[in-house]
Every structure is written in structure tokens, then in C-alpha cells.
Amino acid sequence: MHKRLKLGMVGGGQGAFIGAVHRIAARIDDEFELVAGALSSKPEVAQQSAAQLGIAPDRAYADFKEMAKAEAARADGIDAVSVVTPNHMHFPVAKAFLEQGIHVVCDKPLTANLDEAKQLAEIGKASKVEFVLTHNYSGYPMVREARHLVQSGALGKLRRVNVEYAQDWLSEAITDPENKQASWRADPKQAGKGGAIADIGTHAMQLANFITLQTPEILAADLTSFVKGRLVDDDAHMMLRYASGAKGYLLATQVAPGNENNLRIQIYGEKAGLTWAQENPNQLWFAPLNAPKQLLTRGGHGTSAQTQGQIRVPPGHPEGYLEGFATIYRDAADLIRNGRCENCLLPTLEDGLLGMQFIEAAIQSSAHDSAWTRIGD
Amino acid sequence: MHKRLKLGMVGGGQGAFIGAVHRIAARIDDEFELVAGALSSKPEVAQQSAAQLGIAPDRAYADFKEMAKAEAARADGIDAVSVVTPNHMHFPVAKAFLEQGIHVVCDKPLTANLDEAKQLAEIGKASKVEFVLTHNYSGYPMVREARHLVQSGALGKLRRVNVEYAQDWLSEAITDPENKQASWRADPKQAGKGGAIADIGTHAMQLANFITLQTPEILAADLTSFVKGRLVDDDAHMMLRYASGAKGYLLATQVAPGNENNLRIQIYGEKAGLTWAQENPNQLWFAPLNAPKQLLTRGGHGTSAQTQGQIRVPPGHPEGYLEGFATIYRDAADLIRNGRCENCLLPTLEDGLLGMQFIEAAIQSSAHDSAWTRIGD
Amino acid sequence: MHKRLKLGMVGGGQGAFIGAVHRIAARIDDEFELVAGALSSKPEVAQQSAAQLGIAPDRAYADFKEMAKAEAARADGIDAVSVVTPNHMHFPVAKAFLEQGIHVVCDKPLTANLDEAKQLAEIGKASKVEFVLTHNYSGYPMVREARHLVQSGALGKLRRVNVEYAQDWLSEAITDPENKQASWRADPKQAGKGGAIADIGTHAMQLANFITLQTPEILAADLTSFVKGRLVDDDAHMMLRYASGAKGYLLATQVAPGNENNLRIQIYGEKAGLTWAQENPNQLWFAPLNAPKQLLTRGGHGTSAQTQGQIRVPPGHPEGYLEGFATIYRDAADLIRNGRCENCLLPTLEDGLLGMQFIEAAIQSSAHDSAWTRIGD
Amino acid sequence: MHKRLKLGMVGGGQGAFIGAVHRIAARIDDEFELVAGALSSKPEVAQQSAAQLGIAPDRAYADFKEMAKAEAARADGIDAVSVVTPNHMHFPVAKAFLEQGIHVVCDKPLTANLDEAKQLAEIGKASKVEFVLTHNYSGYPMVREARHLVQSGALGKLRRVNVEYAQDWLSEAITDPENKQASWRADPKQAGKGGAIADIGTHAMQLANFITLQTPEILAADLTSFVKGRLVDDDAHMMLRYASGAKGYLLATQVAPGNENNLRIQIYGEKAGLTWAQENPNQLWFAPLNAPKQLLTRGGHGTSAQTQGQIRVPPGHPEGYLEGFATIYRDAADLIRNGRCENCLLPTLEDGLLGMQFIEAAIQSSAHDSAWTRIGD
């Protein structure tokens, strides 16, 4: 008999964006049911939000620490918690639940600064429960197919990695105080000192790392705040060098009119190239050297058995952002139930730490006239 | 406190395709929970399938009639049933539940033949409960935006409607008896006498009708079975004429290599044109006469408040097939709870009957040397 | 030593469109030099136009018959003439030059009516000189590659041919008398009784015939004049049937907002499909059944030696409309010099006659309630 | 009476690529006729090549210096010369003709090194004749439209310029000694010390400068030779900073499988963004902030009168690489005849010098660990 895992959530109350995404993602494959929450730090909002989501009043908490304790103490307590707060709360919330032996699914970036990230990585290592970071783009089937192609050697030795994440929603100063999204993300106290570099740059970096199975060794970055009065970068560009000899660039910009969520990656190896773009994620261009380009489709002809096994609807019926996100939850359920990570495709605490090191390196490089800077020192 | 509607399902056991789609669609917006099912006509499969879906054993039925009665009798009986059987079972199943006062969400085409469709339409009219037909493509936000543009007069008087649904999966004879999908769809006893015309032609026709707010008056059709030994058409093409003076064509083909689910519509009016294609459904081309073409995006700049209110994730984060399908369920929940159909965007029994009349007219026209034939006689 | 062929031109004076296209096309490969012309029926315009083109005054004729005679009589007379008048003048002009033993390169459609076409075909047969019809789209390298793929058997037996030519420039009534283009094309006296069917429908039909190496046997057409007061059709749609069992449709419309010169063809066979569109002519989609789609590029990997031998600039440097047109002239030069037609890729008088029979059949079918009508009776 | 300018050519004999391009480009608008040439340094090849092109034997030179003198001395001597040799010959050839008072149209990059470029710039300044550098991409109508949009203020203050030129033809070592193209371009003695940076990087930089009406002040570059044994860079990437505060990147790579001539530019300003790509050059995306994206087409609705005045065939009939190149020649003819440069759209000696300074700065920066390096010192 199918039994759903019991899920709690911290953050994600009324007016929030990413909480709703996590809830749908957790629901799509029917592996989780949401039964508890500390959805807002404002008790009234927390209660109302919980009621709207069908959470029983006695499991609608105003305080995440209380929730962690209470749920750990219940016989029917939650198996896992989703952490969907602003960045600066990731650390204390994740810590509280990890310490209570409750699995954690946490939004990215891992924390608001590198120190917290290092601490959390230690806490995670010491813990017996799992920690999953929702770098959701790695849940797209064609991203996994791209990784498969690299891993299988179809591209040969890699030479160049170009990754861009371009948005336009921060092209102007956000003056509406009601825009909860924009306001916390632009506030270094809540988001950390990185702007675009943290919010979307980490996604781009993780995507590249995920597909290439490599991490750049050093970077030379140029971060900019184009919009007057903005306290964090809204445009981050850098050159990358890999230990393997590969080179690359990463661009994360939120001031590029005409771009909604234009996350795009190009990878070139000695034997082939590939291109994938998030806004039409069901396609992957594969270009073997000296042969015609192929347009691979999600689960379509020429894709791997692994990718074909991960799709929910047949080729030509597009899956989107929520399905990619749901795959992270589906895999997380598998990990939680079975204690193992099939093919290690789930983003981990180490990926989260790496992301924070990446942010730190980019900020340091940019502060030192774009000097080549090691990621991870 | 949020209360989910209780949902049952007939059909959709192990090995079936569309049942899983309905279940995810029903779950995405958290308006339904699946609590009962007659998932297969084979008792053992029905039990196993139910267990896998977390349905309690006492609500796992082997017989849909028994299920309809038993559920109607329970205090906590289902509010609605999803009918996801092969076509020839739509009629008896829908009838059984309608007669028990249980709302019905039914896959298309409505029935296996026109007689059943007419009967069902009568039964529906007499019933106090709702009947929703899952012509899911009308749940895509940009399809609704297209309809909105037509309705608002942005295209002016319509002149031409071109709609195509091209697939390639039936380009060869299906010899694998395990391919449950292909086998029942190609069997007139289970699918009805239409092949491509019924399976995908009805989707194309409904899409055109939905967006244009018109139904063609007459058609001249040419149906073909290209694959040797196939008992139904695998390619259906027709010219359309509307009472308004507009003209059009509809092509439904399952033997077009390179096409997965290439459902595409072009509409031209006196003042503007538009183009939408299902495989990248988050985009809609809008071409006002004597001005540059615009690429509208789901919820993006220039789209209507109505469309912006229906999206789940921001522009640039694609929604897919399942979300479009989920919108049908979300609207159905609204209809069931509130007894009204906001803007009448849900496909109804009348649409289903029209679909069957369309199939009939196409088959008749094709049998009479493509003579112009009235839809609905 | 390279010697250019001497070319004359009838039509194409100031304000005309297609004459300038022919001149550039004839020039691109340096096989022709323009030395004589009857560029306008108005003597003054003829003289001025000739001077602007560097034609010596004594070879600037006001009358095409005089020109034909005079040039035939000169030792250094023209080798060939380009006929770029409105349609109704194609017949007398072509006849005059053929009868003087001067090769003819003629714009399409062949003539203004079927009778003239039949006469001209006879005259052509009796003549010792060549007649080339500028169905220029067959000069695009990727159109020839498409034909090559069909011919080589890569698609297997053909099943379906879909061809569309959509424009929007006649969406409204043309009231500007200065619009020379629009006015003669909409005037049955100058253009013949076909509108869209003749102007662009013949191009679409020739393209399909060229690539498929087949001609439809019968058609069922529906022609419409959407714009009030227009004397010829501005929208022509039809179903096609081939003797081989293949089916198809052809749409030629000039009232489709958002379309400039959207000539597009899709061909589906038992083994593969292909798609080509004129507005980005350097690409050809090739979709083998049960394998990934390939994007072939002009002269790129995977294209035939024949195609690679016809390009002027490397893959990725686009060639356009004028180069496709120029290929017709280059081949014509080859034919004129060598008296043979390599692979028979040049459109001929027979193609022109077929085009007129196609127009006639479409008009007849449409007048008889879209009855299936034989092409060529 | 139309009189063509008399053109000579140095380089471009049998087996060469770019010479044929220049000849077609010069011919398209009928402003030039080729009457003299020193097409090869091998006398026999020079004679044969000249004969094939219809150049009279007495004007087929084996030596460019002799040609410059002889043509300058003739009453009917050439008005202009096209210099299409390998890079290291640009300087002596251009110098020889400038000094004889013959206009020069020269391929890029200007010279093989910066010293020569500076000398040539001085010679040019002192000369009374014109010097045109064939940065042909600036001849594409939609590139000019892009520049017009920037100039008109439609983008507001620029923030970011991303320009890429990706090819794949040097992904492997070229071992065929017959590949004249590949061999001289990879030989520093003939091509200069830059590889990709000089061959295609200069095109990318000129394109960006042309459209933005700005030149970057400093750059930080990372140049790589990925293919073993190659003596010059085959991949050049850099970050750019402009005096205006704008930032950018430039990537020139010849080892990117799947790219033929993928020159692409994205420009983002405070008010709008635009994107153009060379492989489908008839389109330009224009994205005003907070409004739908527009797809502008060559000469189509919404484009400037200036652009509409430069096209040869109507919107939807694509122009390609040769037409863009021809526009440089057409403008050059205008400049030569009238002694003025309408709107200064022709690339000049100063642009050529800037290109050499750009190459030099990139090589210097790369040699100094990607230090920010001034362009032009």
C-alpha cells in the first residue's frame, strides 16, 4: 500500500512565491503530503496560511524551532521539512531540523554567507538524515540527458562551457514595498551580500557543474550594480578556468530587457557540442563534429533509457518547470525511503557549500579588479 | 480550512497512460484527493493498482457500476469521478455515475459513436451534476489568451483558421501486443470507427472552436489509412467553412515522421493573425496588420489580466502539458463547488457531442468523395 | 577567356520589382551582361530606364517585337531575353523571341491563360532554343537537397505533401494607384483570372512538384476573395491526391497577417519527413523515423556533394532569395552554352503549362463546389 | 548613362575564397566592373585566373606593384582596387595603391600587426583617396537597423554588450595542405600573431562598435590554443568595459562544434534590449522593457525608412551574406563617386587600426594573466 511521506514547511506563507512551487513539486508524484508548517514568522499569517493549505491547526506553528521539536516528538511527526524562507533564515532553520533528525529539503543558495555554509556542511556531515538542495534545473530530463552525454564521452574532452542566466525584472528600481520578492532579494541583510550572483548565478554555476561533472578552479569576475541605489549586484559576469584545461564564462544578469528566465548553456568538447535553454526545456541540441546537428527531445528517439525512464508524459507533450522541480522531490523521496542516491543526481550540502564559495570567490575577484581567484579557499 | 474534493477513477490501472495524467492533473492544485477506483476490469489488476495509489481496499472496485452505487451510498462518497477508459466505455461509465448524482470528468472523445453521444447529452441535460470533458489543450494559458484576443476583437472578423495535429507514432504497423495504447486506439471496437480523426482530430477541432468562438458549418474531408492493415484512418484532412464566411483546414495525421505532438493553430483575421503550437505552449505569436509581430509569453507583458491570473509560475518558467490539464481540474473543482462556470471555459457535454458530430461528418464526407457535409446533422 | 552571354530584357523599367531581381540574379555569377531592353511600353520610360542600366541608346527599344527582330539581325545580338512583364504579356513576348531563335528566360506564371500556355508550349517544342521559367524557389540549395533526399529514397514512399505560401500584403484593399505591383496583380486583364492561385499558388505547386518528383492527379479547391471589391482570389486552399496514393494540401493566401513570404513545405514518407521554409532557406529539417531530427544546413555536414557544389559561400554564411534566383540564371547559362540540362533541374515550358493547368483546375473545382478535378484536362 | 567604376583586385586567384565573395559583392549592384588583377603571386595562376574572370591579358599582372603603377598610368586605369590577399600582404598592397592615388577596398583585419596598421593609417590620412575596410557584417540591413535603434535612444543608456562569433571548422588540426584557407589563417607569418581573435574576433568587435556607437576602453582576455600544435589562438574570450559604464563580453571561438558562422550580438540598455544573429540575418529582436518582444524583419513593418531604403528584395525574401557584403561595395561606390560617406556607415582605416589595437590588447592581456588592458595604447 502506497504511503506518502509526511512533509513540513518553513516559510512559504501568503504572498510568498517559492513556497507554492515547492508544494506543487512535492505533490506532483504523490510522494509527500504536507501536514505541518511554520509558514510565516507572523503568527496570524502562519495560522491563516496553514488553514488555506489544509494543515491542522495544532500543526500550524509560528516558530520553526518549536515546530522542529514538536514534530520530532510526535509519533506521526514529519519525515522531512521544506525550507523556503529568505536566504538568511536557511541556516538556522536547516540546523534546527537536522539536529532533530528530520530530513531537510532546502531552497538555494544554501545560506546567506560562507561561514554559515561551512557550519551547515559540518552539521550535515554529522547528521544521519539527508539534506537536499533544490537546484531544480538539474531535475529537467534534458539537463540530465546532457550530463549523460558528457559522462558517456560523446563530447570528448571538454573545451568550453558557456552559461548564462538572464532576466529583466530588476531592470528598474523596485519601489513597490508590496513586492515581497524583489524587496528581500535586494536586501543584503536577508539575501546575503550577493545579488544576481547569488540568486541566479548559483543556479547557472550548479547547472554547468552538474552537466560537465567538473567545477571551475578559478574565476575572474566583474560584478555590477547597474540600477542606482541597489545595494547588491544585478549583473555578474566572469571568466572560468577548469583544472582539466577547459575554459568558460558565466553571466548572471537581471537587467537584460527581453529575458524572462533565460538560463542557457553551451558546452563544446573535442568531439561534439550541446546547447540547452530553460525556456524550452524539452529540447537539447546535440552537435557531433562533422555531422548534422540533432534536436533531441525529452524522452524522444536517441535519448538514453535513463532519461526515458524519468518522464511523466510522452515526447511532444511538454513538461515544465514544476515537473523538473518535482523530480528533485521524487528523487528526495527515494533517497529518504531508501537511504541512497541513485547515480548521485541530487544536489547536496556539498553543492550548496560550493555555491557559497563560488559567490564568495566572485565577490572577492570583482573587488580585486577581476583577479583570478580560487573557488573554495 | 481547505477541504479537498473526493475523487474516484474508472480505468487508468497499471499500463494505462492517460489515467496517470489525470491523477497528476487532479493533484497539482490540491483540489482533489483520489479515494476510490475501478481501475481495471480485471479484479486483480484493479486491487493492485488501487494499492499502489494509496486507495483503501474497500474502495477498490472491480466493477464501475458497483462503484457508482457504493460511493453514492457512502456518507463520505466521492464528489466526482474521472473516466479514463478506452472510448467505448465512456458512455456506460459516465451514464452510471451521472445517474447516481456524481459529477463526471471524462476523457475525450465523448463516446465511441454518435448515438451514445446524443443519449449521453440527454442524460447530462436531465442531470443535476456537472460533466466536464478533458479537452486539456484549452487549459493552456496561451490558448486562453488567444481566445481572449479573438473575443476582444483584436483580430477583427476572422478569415482563415488552420489547425494541424501531427504525430508520427503510428507511421508503422504496431505489432507489439503489449502496446496497450496503440492497440486499443487502432481497434474500432474499442475506439469507435474514427482513428486519427477521433483521437487527435477532435482535439484539433475543439482547440479551433475554443479559440475562435465559432464552429465550422460544413466540411469536405479526405480520410486515409496509410499503413497496410490498419482498420481506421491514420490521416485525416479537411477543408472547413464557417457561417461567418471564414474558411479553414484541419489536418490530423499520425504518420508524419518528425512530429511528436505537433498541434498547431494559425488564425487570420482582418486586423491581425496569431499562431500557437503545443510543443512550446508558453508562447503565442500575435501579428497585428502593418506592425511588427509580437511574441507573447505566458503571463508576460502584454497579456491579459485573466491569463496572468491563471499561471502558477512566473513568465519564463515554462508550464507544460500537465499544468494545462490541471487547469481543467482546477476549473472543474470551481464548477463543482460553486455550480458555475466562470467565462464558460470548460469543455462540456455539448462540446463532446459536437466532437462526435464532427467525426461523423468527416467520415461521411470522406465516404462521399469529400462532398461538403454539414456538421451536426 | 571568360565570355559573358548577352542578355536582353522586356519589362522591368522604373517602378517595376521583378525586373531588378532578374538583373541582379543574372549578374551574380557573371554569366550574362545586359545589353538591350524594351523595358517599358512607354518610350520615354524605356529610354530612361535603359540609360540608368547602362544599355546603349540604340539597343533601348520601345517595342519588344522590334527588339526581337533587330537583335536577331545583329551580329552581336542578344543570346537570351528575360521576360519580366505583367503576366498577360508573357505570351506575345516569349513567342516573338522564340520565333527569332533567341533563348527565353520568363517569369511565372507562364501566361495569363491556359490557351496561350498550350500555344506557347507548341511553339517551344518546335523551336531550337531554350525556354526557362523562373520558378526561382527551386534554385535554393536546400530545396534541391530536399529533392535529392526524396529521389535517393531517404523518405521512402511518400504519403503526404503539405505546402503553404502565405503573405499578408493584400489583407486590405489596395487603393494607392501608384502601387504598380498590387494593381496589375489584382487586375484580371493583366494578371489572368487567378489571383493568389496564380501569383503564389503556382510557386507552391512547382516547389512541391520539384521536390517530390510527382504531380498531383486531382484536386478539390476552395478559392476566396476575402477583400471586398477584389476581382480575383486572395486565398486559395485545396486538397491534393497523387496517382501514387500520396495526399496533400496546398494553401496560397495573401490575407494572412504576420506572413511576409512564408512559403513552407512538409513532406512525409514511410521512412522520413522533411520541412523547409523559404524565409530561412539555408536550413532543412530531415526527420528519419525513429531517430532524432537533423537540421541540415546549406552545404553543411550530411548534405549531398551536388548541393555542396552549388553554394557560393560557406555554410553559416546565408545565401538568400537572389542567390537562389541566380542559380536559375547560372543553370540557364549552362543550358544555353551546352544545350543540356544537368539533372533536369531547370523549370521548363512543360512546368509552365502544368502551372496553368493547375490554375485552371483549381478555378474549375472551386466553381463546382470543390469537386475533385483533374489537373491537365 | 550609367557608368560602372573600374575595379582591380589583388589576391583572389584560383582556390581562394574571399576573392570570389568580393567579386560577387562588387557586381550585385552593378557599380563596378572588374578589369584588372594581380590575382596570384604565381604568374601562371595569375594569368589563368584573370582569363577565367574575363580580364584582358594585358591587365593580368603577376606583381601588385607593377599593377599599381601601370593602372595609375592608364587613361582608363582602375578607380579602385580590392585587396583580398592573406593578412600579411594587406599593408604593402594597400600602401602601393594608396600611393598611386587609387581607392582601396581592403579585407580585414587591416594588417598583420599593429605597427603596419599605424603606418597605414598615416598613409591613409595623407592620401586623397578613400580606404574602405570590408567589415561586411555592418552591411546587413538589420545590423544597421540595430545601430539606428541605439542611436535613436530606443534602448536608453547601454548597460551590457554580449557578442559571440563561434565556428567549428578548426576543431581539429588541419592536416590537408590543400586547404588553403585553413593553412594561411593558422600560420602566424601570413595571418599575424592572432588566430581566432584576428580572423573573427575583429569582426565581432567591429559589429559591437558599429551598433553601439561605442568602443570598449579596457578588456581582460583569455586566449587559448585548444588544438595541439596550433600556433595561434583558436578561442578568445574577454570581458569588456566601456567609458560609459557599460560592460560586455566578446567570445571568438573556432572550436565550437555545431557552429558554422554563429555571430550573435545582444545589447541591453535601460529601456530595451536587442538580439541579432548572422545566420538568420533578416530578423532582429527588439525587446522594449515591460512590453512584448517584437520580431523586426528586414524592411518590414516598424523598421526605419533608412533600412527600408537599403533592401533589394521585399521583406520575407531573405537577403544573405553576399548582399550585406554588396552593400559595403555599393556604399563604397557612393563614397568614391561623391567623396562623402552618408551617415559614416562604412568601416574606415580608423576602424581597421582600432581592430589591430584590439588584437594587440587582447594578446597582451592574455599574456598578463588577463589583466585589464587599455585598447589603443
Side-chain angles (χ1 to χ4, degrees), chain B residues 159-160 162 164 168 171-172 220-224 226-227 235 237-239 241 245-249 251 253 255-259 264 266 268-269 272-273 287 289-290 293 369-370 372, chain C residues 159-160 162 164 168 171-172 220-224 226-227 235 237-239 241 245-249 251 253 255-259 264 266 268-269 272-273 287 289-290 293 369-370 372:
Chain B
R159 287 172 170 169
R160 172 158 279 289
N162 298 344
E164 283 192 28
D168 62 10
S171 291
E172 298 175 301
D222 195 13
L223 274 55
T224 314
F226 278 112
V227 173
D235 181 282
H237 176 233
M238 68 196 67
M239 302 192 290
R241 286 185 183 164
K247 307 233 171 147
Y249 71 76
L251 171 64
T253 181
V255 295
N259 291 278
R264 192 210 59 173
Q266 300 171 314
Y268 302 116
L289 196 61
N290 305 327
K293 271 195 206 183
D369 217 17
S370 313
W372 285 105
Chain C
R159 286 172 170 169
R160 173 157 279 289
N162 298 341
E164 284 192 27
D168 61 10
S171 292
E172 298 174 302
D222 196 14
L223 274 55
T224 314
F226 277 114
V227 173
D235 181 282
H237 176 233
M238 68 196 67
M239 302 193 291
R241 285 185 183 164
K247 307 231 173 152
Y249 71 76
L251 172 63
T253 181
V255 295
N259 291 277
R264 192 210 58 171
Q266 299 170 314
Y268 302 117
L289 197 60
N290 304 326
K293 269 193 210 183
D369 217 17
S370 312
W372 285 105

Side-chain angles (χ1 to χ4, degrees), chain B residues 43 48 91 95 102 107 142 153 157 163 181 185 191 199 209 215 223 228 282 342 346 349 353 365-366:
Chain B
Q48 281 175 8
F91 174 68
K95 182 171 181 290
I102 293 171
D107 211 79
M142 296 316 276
K157 193 168 180 304
V163 64
Q181 280 307 309
R185 281 168 205 250
D199 193 23
N209 295 346
T215 300
L223 274 55
K228 205 181 272 188
N282 296 285
E342 190 70 44
L346 274 176
L349 257 177
L353 175 55
S365 170
S366 189

Side-chain angles (χ1 to χ4, degrees), chain A residues 160 164 222 241 249 264, chain D residues 164 222 235 241 249 264:
Chain A
R160 174 158 278 290
E164 283 192 27
D222 195 15
R241 287 185 182 164
Y249 71 75
R264 190 211 60 170
Chain D
E164 283 192 28
D222 196 15
D235 182 282
R241 286 186 183 163
Y249 72 76
R264 191 210 60 173

Side-chain angles (χ1 to χ4, degrees), chain B residues 180-196:
Chain B
K180 203 171 161 180
Q181 280 307 309
S183 57
W184 79 250
R185 281 168 205 250
D187 173 8
K189 284 189 219 116
Q190 292 184 73
K193 59 187 163 174

Side-chain angles (χ1 to χ4, degrees), chain C residues 101-160:
Chain C
I102 293 171
H103 301 289
V104 171
V105 180
C106 181
D107 212 78
K108 47 50 55 188
L110 183 60
T111 55
N113 60 58
L114 183 51
D115 269 357
E116 289 176 354
K118 287 178 178 171
Q119 287 182 57
L120 195 57
E122 290 306 313
I123 293 167
K125 251 182 242 171
S127 158
K128 284 180 188 156
V129 290
E130 306 292 346
F131 184 99
V132 172
L133 193 70
T134 53
H135 270 306
N136 57 290
Y137 299 114
S138 59
Y140 276 119
M142 297 316 277
V143 166
R144 294 184 167 195
E145 181 72 15
R147 176 186 165 100
H148 169 80
L149 285 166
V150 171
Q151 199 163 23
S152 72
L155 277 75
K157 192 169 182 301
L158 301 189
R159 286 172 170 169
R160 173 157 279 289

